[in-house]
Amino acid sequence: MSGSAVATLDRLGRARRERLRAECAELAELSDVEFGVRLLADTPTHENRAPELLRRWASVATEFGAGLVGEGRDRAPRVVERAGGVEQLLLAKYVSRPVPTVELFTDTLALGEELVDLLGWRESYADGALRAAALAHEEAHLLLHGDVALRRALRERLGHTALRLGRFRITAHVAGADELVAHGYAAASRGLGRSPLLLTAALASAVRALAQD
Amino acid sequence: MGIVILLLMLAGVGLMLTRKLPTAFALVLLGVAIAAVVGAPLTGENSILETVLQEGSIAQAATMIAVLIGSWMGKLMAETGIASTLVRKIVEFGGDRPTVVALGVLVVSALIGTVTGSAPAAMMAGIIGIPAMVAVGVPKTTAAGTILMGIAAGMPFELPIWQFFSTTLDLPVETVRGFMLMLFPFAVVFAVLFVLVETRRKGVEHAWSLAAPAGDRSRKRAKQLGDAPWYALLAPLVPLVLALGFELPIIPSMLAGVLYALVTTTRPRDMNKRLLRTLYGAFDIAAPPIALFVAIGILLSAVTLPGAVEALNPLVTAISPGHPVVFVVVFALLTPLCLYRGPLNVFGLGAGIAGVLISAGIYPAVAVLGLTASYNQVFGVADPTSTQTVWAAQYSGVSPQQVMVRTLPYVWCVALGGLIVTAATQL
């Protein structure tokens, strides 16, 4: 991939486009929870966890995110749009300093919209839904980042124990759960038919196809 | 003649900087060239073949064995899940507070840094530690810097380093230990400051990424490892307690650490196999530093030949500051010269310069220890050409230069602290 300007699916040959369609169709057959399991499994510290446990955590975290819809926010983050996302494999980014800012990578978003059209997934991802979901995803990070009680509630819901001494118990952090919370929030608040993680996986396939082309 | 030697050294730096020659080869070539220009005979006393190449190449033998055992223990800690369990526990306890996680990973890195150095140490702490920090929102450059600052905080207690300075500067291990104890607080304070200031300054960062880390080989390997029992996590402390607390010699202390890591994690029937496999694996890890120590021994033997000392003495005397304050100011300003394999890098030409400073009687050996150990704290973290910095930066997805810019102010302060202690106590 030499640059974001050339990141368009028109560049792909007919055969490669068909292969991409087939790859994404296979992805679409997986359940939304399975994408959550995969995300957790790829997150360090979960190398030895049983798939059933990861499945439970993925469901709990996604539901927790969906339950945050409507939570009051004192201030919206600043939004900055920039290119170069395809090259960096980024769709959006949240940074808390110097001021809470959501960076949206316009080239990745455009590629995502093009891909949704190519795959006929408009039913699940309406026009402009990816941008809205990206904003919502990063808003969820802002919500979690600024609210200790919310983070504690998430830990309690996940129910993972770091240390237990008799009745005394310290709940453990589940790495990656906050990402699933953000995806759950984005899907619920923007009315997506499928998890944003499905589109993320499809986009990754598209970027790979463009790089190989 | 002194000028010719300095020009040769300059050419050596040029060869290393431009990567025309690997550092070890350049140092050997430099050692032979210096011996030749000062008129050392081919054979006999103070000769090129017997003194420089034969005696020089094995001068650092004790350091080489210490490095090998350190790598052995590192390999064991990685294979038995001790290192990964330490990091995993830290993340579980401190998880949603990025600063707490980074401080925890810093402590684990420091512990690992006392056992072994260079890229293997960075990998042990970083393979899980870096993505774990990034997952909780620590920015990538801060994550890489945290691993490196942690290893550097443990470096004053890295036993192979004690052996290296003891052999290179011909000082008793007790003297080296004494200085390292004074350097340690600076290394710790600035490492903690790095984490506190940088996590506050840069805040948290979360990315919606398309990258699929599933194919990462190191994670697949980690998948096969279980959690090590809690008492096995004390393994990095064993050599330290024995060498520091009980003042046992370095190599037996490190061997005790290897045995402790083995018996606390391995079933008796698997012990022989695991011990041998990790030992052979350690040779791979230790090969680059051992090659460097052979070359350093050769260079040191060359610059301490009587002809070389005689030629360099007036030059080095003229340019070396004698007043303690000037010593601190000048050598603090020269600190960047230990970066990019520069002339003050003690694992390169800096070892030769240290040899000259001592053999010419410019500074007492313990002052040269202070100087080189202080520079070592900088090189070990911020040098974009050192293997641990390159690995940590690339694994985090940033450039080694970004890590250098972020960490240099902190490690420069550590070096300044070490230089002040040196000037105050030794000059």
Side-chain angles (χ1 to χ4, degrees), chain A residues 166-202:
Chain A
R167 289 174 59 194
F168 176 73
R169 171 176 169 259
I170 296 178
T171 50
H173 171 73
V174 175
D178 51 344
E179 276 304 314
L180 293 179
V181 169
H183 283 303
Y185 177 84
S189 66
R190 299 303 184 260
L192 304 184
R194 292 289 312 262
S195 165
L197 283 168
L198 166 62
L199 191 50
T200 308

Side-chain angles (χ1 to χ4, degrees), chain B residues 299-333:
Chain B
L299 178 65
L300 273 173
S301 300
V303 295
T304 50
L305 286 171
V309 172
E310 204 177 302
L312 286 168
N313 198 341
L315 267 176
V316 180
T317 310
I319 57 171
S320 300
H323 191 276
V325 176
V326 186
F327 173 91
V328 171
V329 172
V330 168
F331 285 114
L333 288 175

